[in-house]
């Protein structure tokens, strides 16, 4: 099946949330990706990367797949009524509504996860109930036409999962081969359950203020 | 230990080769990353991403770690005497000389892998002997102060390996946790040995001309 995947960009999104799945999608000839932002200007991310969106909210009203990344900058999307309104509208008609990392909080703020099982970066799982979603601590969570991925690097597993659904297992396997995705992390510290407790404690403490800000934005009436 | 990691950019490098390790490095407070290119202009990559280098070859002569990505655009680096000369000079003094994916072919063209064991994207392993390197089909290959990674997504495993060497295991584990790198690919098709034979055949056939071009560039006297 051919499909158009629209990837939403906002100021200071996490570049890897987008580049992981996007690199996989681009290895599939029948998939078309479109990055979309509110305006036709380059969007900054962490790491000195900027990304020029392919199109704008006004110019794109129908997509097969909607994908929202996360990152430090999700506050910019959560505070943008224009972004949330566009997501609410386009998401209501998309075949799949998807996210990577804390992008699910944006989907939730747009009302798109109410009554759905969903996941997000492990640090933000406790915020999902604020938007009416049931948090699930899994790498990828698929509930009806919602597919949400865990933190940052989960975008690769998410990308393959989505390709398989859209284009079949063979297309996903070919993309995996092209990107030599045969992971061998030298440590087993990717989730709080297996990371050194001290590393978990430090990360949690360093992000208290950020999480409180998110909680307030999501909890507002 | 604090260290400066210089990441070399060239026209149409593979964005994920850089963004994987860079995102991990940025999670380590004592590491400083500098992207460097021949000129101070934005450098294009696949996927609509452009990256503005932090500095230029002329302004940077000493680095702790040199890192070279790969991608379709490696031909642009292989054909650039200025790039190869800079790498040869800076690499001769760096504490670590490293690469992701086909970036090792660029290191090799600069004479930096002669007599070393090294790896690269599986499709290009047979080209390493042209630059005097011994090809090793492993995810990460460490020989003295050379560390080379396999194709594209190997950059994540490479990044963690390098962080551990520079800053210790705890720093690497913290970065892994921050990016929730707990991979769970839905298929086991990341290397030719486990991918469907048809996927391998298609990829090999689609890249014959590109590989021949690389072979000619690397084999030139």
């Amino acid at each position: 099946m051919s499909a158009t995947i629209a990837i939403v960009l906002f100021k200071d999104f996490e570049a890897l949330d987008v580049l992981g799945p996007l690199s996989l999608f681009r290895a599939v000839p029948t998939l078309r990706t479109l990055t979309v932002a509110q305006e036709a200007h380059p969007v900054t991310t962490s790491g000195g990367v900027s990304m020029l969106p392919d199109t704008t909210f006004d110019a794109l009203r129908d997509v097969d797949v909607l994908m929202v990344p996360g990152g430090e900058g999700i506050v910019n999307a959560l505070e943008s009524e224009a972004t949330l309104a566009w997501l609410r509208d386009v998401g209501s008609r998309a075949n799949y509504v998807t996210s990577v990392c804390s992008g699910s909080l944006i989907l939730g703020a747009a009302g798109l996860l109410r009554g759905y099982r969903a996941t997000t970066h492990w640090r933000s799982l406790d915020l999902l109930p604020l938007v009416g979603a049931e948090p699930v601590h899994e790498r990828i969570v698929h509930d009806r036409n919602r597919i949400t991925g865990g933190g940052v690097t989960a975008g690769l597993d998410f990308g393959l999962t989505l390709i398989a659904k859209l284009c079949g297992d063979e297309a996903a396997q070919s993309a995996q081969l092209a990107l030599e995705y045969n992971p061998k992390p030298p440590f087993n510290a990717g989730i709080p359950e297996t990371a050194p407790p001290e590393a978990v404690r430090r990360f949690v403490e360093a992000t208290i203020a950020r999480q409180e800000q998110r909680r307030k934005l999501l909890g507002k009436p």
Side-chain angles (χ1 to χ4, degrees), chain A:
Chain A
M1 183 184 119
S2 73
T4 297
I5 302 171
I7 302 176
V8 179
L9 308 185
F10 48 86
K11 182 172 156 48
D12 297 338
F13 70 89
E14 173 70 42
L16 190 51
D17 290 6
V18 169
L19 262 297
L22 181 61
S23 303
L24 287 164
F25 299 152
R26 286 174 59 88
V28 182
T30 53
L31 288 180
R32 178 177 175 233
T33 54
L34 276 176
T35 54
V36 55
Q38 191 168 355
E39 294 178 55
H41 304 312
V43 183
T44 57
T45 76
S46 53
V49 182
S50 67
M51 203 158 175
L52 186 65
D54 297 314
T55 187
T56 61
F57 289 163
D58 282 347
L60 186 70
R61 307 305 303 188
D62 288 285
V63 306
D64 299 309
V65 180
L66 182 63
M67 179 192 134
V68 180
E72 292 294 331
I74 65 165
V75 58
N76 299 311
L78 294 176
E79 287 180 332
S80 164
E81 268 310 317
T83 300
L84 298 181
W86 184 84
L87 287 170
R88 197 174 296 125
D89 176 55
V90 172
S92 71
R93 292 186 303 279
N95 292 332
Y96 287 99
V97 173
T98 74
S99 63
V100 174
C101 197
S102 48
S104 56
L105 300 180
I106 302 174
L107 288 182
L112 291 166
L113 291 182
R114 193 162 300 279
Y116 286 88
R117 299 167 73 247
T119 196
T120 189
H121 190 286
W122 61 267
R123 182 63 173 103
S124 288
L125 277 168
D126 64 335
L127 300 182
L128 281 172
L130 293 174
V131 295
E134 180 190 337
V136 182
H137 186 21
E138 284 174 11
R139 191 81 172 153
I140 309 291
V141 174
H142 190 184
D143 183 359
R144 286 156 284 172
N145 78 335
R146 267 58 166 174
I147 308 177
T148 50
V152 196
T153 56
L156 291 165
D157 304 318
F158 159 81
L160 291 176
T161 301
L162 183 63
I163 292 168
K165 289 196 187 300
L166 295 171
C167 309
D169 290 0
E170 282 181 31
Q173 290 164 327
S174 292
Q176 184 177 5
L177 178 68
L179 271 65
E180 203 169 326
Y181 185 41
N182 177 43
K184 297 214 184 306
F187 303 100
N188 180 21
I191 50 174
E193 292 80 357
T194 62
E198 179 60 20
V200 179
R201 192 191 61 74
R202 269 199 312 267
F203 189 89
V204 168
E205 288 195 356
T207 51
I208 285 175
R210 182 192 77 180
Q211 294 303 104
E212 271 315 300
Q213 184 189 30
R214 292 179 176 182
R215 185 180 299 277
K216 275 182 196 150
L217 284 169
L218 294 170
K220 74 182 175 187

